[in-house]
Amino acid sequence: MKVTSSINGVDVDRLAATIDHISDDPTLARFQFRARNRWIDGGHNRSEIKGFYGAGKEDTSRTEPFVLDADEPPLLLGENQAANAPEYVLHALAACLTGTLVYHAAARGIVLDGLESTIEGDVDLHGFLGLDETVRPGYQQIRISFKASGDFDDEQLAELASLTRYSPVRDIVSNPVPVAIDVDRA
């Protein structure tokens, strides 16, 4: 497909057309993403991500699955074969915020020359280990710092910061999401 107008690597004409299509047919906005996970040993497990439903149909554009391993560092009884699940959450949040900023900036004509972030999350193992019911098992706090470069003024920089509100993963980690869990025999 030919790119006609690009800002920040985003085809803004296709972006506008996507927005128009969704405005005309709101059912096109519904997506379902999926992953399959298999335990390997200890803290090591592997997820495969391939198919998803979106824009009114099952997507078949991926011929091979994305494969993501997870493990724990030796300090947490793992073998350091991959990032651990909480680290993947940090990656997912940073990646989603970055994409959100890039796409929304492009839609507003804000040209970015660079965008980098540093992200940290604090966990207290008392929660995960079940040693203290008052301590949550997940992150107590997450901090992310962005450095943006480009030819934009202070008002546009403030607008960029406000655009993070559109990040799906920020919403997921900031607001409760119902999670249905079913465990059966194999």
Side-chain angles (χ1 to χ4, degrees):
M1 194 169 288
K2 183 180 180 227
V3 175
T4 53
S5 179
S6 178
I7 298 176
N8 305 330
V10 176
D11 184 334
V12 292
D13 294 331
R14 283 182 56 207
L15 177 60
T18 298
I19 292 168
D20 289 343
H21 289 305
I22 291 172
S23 295
D24 292 343
D25 184 356
T27 64
L28 297 176
R30 300 201 182 276
F31 277 67
Q32 181 187 71
F33 297 104
R34 302 186 274 289
R36 294 183 60 91
N37 183 275
R38 181 177 53 85
W39 170 65
I40 296 171
D41 187 45
H44 189 198
N45 61 86
R46 179 171 293 139
S47 291
E48 291 189 359
I49 300 169
K50 186 177 176 189
F52 66 92
Y53 178 88
K57 64 183 178 198
E58 189 67 24
D59 183 87
T60 59
S61 64
R62 298 173 176 167
T63 58
E64 296 293 324
F66 296 109
V67 178
L68 304 168
D69 278 30
D71 196 8
E72 296 292 340
L75 190 60
L76 295 174
L77 309 177
E79 299 293 327
N80 247 352
Q81 297 182 69
N84 69 18
E87 291 168 321
Y88 275 112
V89 170
L90 294 180
H91 166 68
L93 179 57
C96 191
L97 286 166
T98 298
T100 298
L101 287 173
V102 167
Y103 277 69
H104 280 273
R108 288 160 176 74
I110 300 172
V111 177
L112 298 170
D113 293 333
L115 185 63
E116 295 182 12
S117 65
T118 302
I119 188 166
E120 302 172 329
D122 304 322
V123 173
D124 182 338
L125 290 184
H126 283 93
F128 171 73
L129 296 173
L131 298 174
D132 185 340
E133 294 295 322
T134 66
V135 176
R136 64 183 295 168
Y139 284 119
Q140 278 76 45
Q141 182 180 18
I142 296 173
R143 295 169 301 284
I144 187 164
S145 173
F146 278 94
K147 299 288 184 198
S149 60
D151 187 21
F152 45 80
D153 59 28
D154 289 344
E155 186 176 308
Q156 289 172 311
L157 184 63
E159 184 177 7
L160 279 176
S162 76
L163 297 174
T164 64
R165 71 186 181 274
Y166 296 116
S167 163
V169 177
R170 179 183 179 183
D171 177 72
I172 291 165
V173 300
S174 299
N175 298 297
V177 176
V179 178
I181 299 173
D182 184 32
V183 179
D184 287 325
R185 293 185 189 276

